[in-house]
Amino acid sequence: RPLFVNRHGSIVERFKMLESQHNSASNGVTLELTIPSNPDLTTEVDRRIGDLTASIGYDRVTRGNIMVAVNEAVKNAIFHGNKCDESKQVVITCNCSTAVFRINICDYGHGFDLDSLPDPRNADNLLKENGRGILMIKSLMDQVEFDISENGTSVTLIKYG
């Protein structure tokens, strides 16, 4: 598994263009990042996702929706999954084409019970500072899939082009 933080703490990317001579859009672009659970690195992840979606040609609104959802999912992995433990990594694998944006974000926390999360639309929760992330992700993306275990959480976000 590739490591993307060098010994100086700088994030390094592996950005690989997968091209087909006849139809490069069918294969798209793959971006793989592995980062320590440091909230400061979300800005760099945001930049990489923004650059990737722009290079594929997504419109501004779609790019914005993707970036907000990915940012929230990465922050959830760092804060809630890995509890900001920098010895635990967040693994991000993204494939983006004109037809579909698909990203998988994995943490190594202890998982959670998706069904036990309080509904942020409930009157008792409206003024709380947190608890809206998953609802927001689901509203911005076309599909959201969770794979939750005691060894971590993997969330896949999908947006059709």
Side-chain angles (χ1 to χ4, degrees):
R1 184 169 85 195
L3 184 63
F4 296 96
V5 177
N6 69 21
R7 62 188 171 101
H8 303 293
S10 299
I11 189 169
V12 180
E13 78 176 311
R14 185 176 120 193
F15 187 79
K16 182 179 178 186
M17 183 77 74
L18 301 175
E19 295 182 274
S20 165
Q21 258 185 323
H22 301 292
N23 186 0
S24 61
S26 66
N27 288 332
V29 178
T30 297
L31 173 67
E32 297 173 325
L33 299 171
T34 299
I35 62 171
S37 294
N38 179 337
D40 294 336
L41 296 177
T42 59
T43 302
E44 184 63 21
V45 173
D46 293 345
R47 187 183 69 76
R48 309 277 172 140
I49 296 300
D51 290 349
L52 175 64
T53 54
S55 74
I56 294 297
Y58 288 168
D59 65 72
R60 198 182 80 199
V61 172
T62 301
R63 288 194 325 262
N65 289 346
I66 289 170
M67 289 177 62
V68 169
V70 169
N71 177 276
E72 185 62 33
V74 171
K75 284 182 178 176
N76 282 350
I78 291 171
F79 285 105
H80 302 296
N82 292 341
K83 309 285 187 212
C84 294
D85 179 349
E86 291 193 36
S87 70
K88 293 181 179 178
Q89 298 176 334
V90 176
V91 179
I92 303 162
T93 306
C94 178
N95 184 266
C96 184
S97 71
T98 55
V100 66
F101 173 90
R102 178 185 309 266
I103 190 165
N104 183 264
I105 300 157
C106 300
D107 66 53
Y108 294 95
H110 297 292
F112 67 100
D113 180 4
L114 188 60
D115 295 328
S116 72
L117 294 177
D119 184 345
R121 298 167 296 188
N122 182 304
D124 294 337
N125 299 324
L126 290 177
L127 298 178
K128 290 186 178 179
E129 291 183 24
N130 55 16
R132 293 170 188 80
I134 292 175
L135 178 67
M136 183 172 54
I137 291 168
K138 287 180 175 181
S139 72
L140 294 171
M141 301 301 286
D142 294 324
Q143 281 182 256
V144 180
E145 302 166 356
F146 289 92
D147 183 8
I148 302 169
S149 75
E150 61 187 34
N151 299 318
T153 299
S154 172
V155 60
T156 301
L157 312 179
I158 300 169
K159 186 77 164 173
Y160 296 103

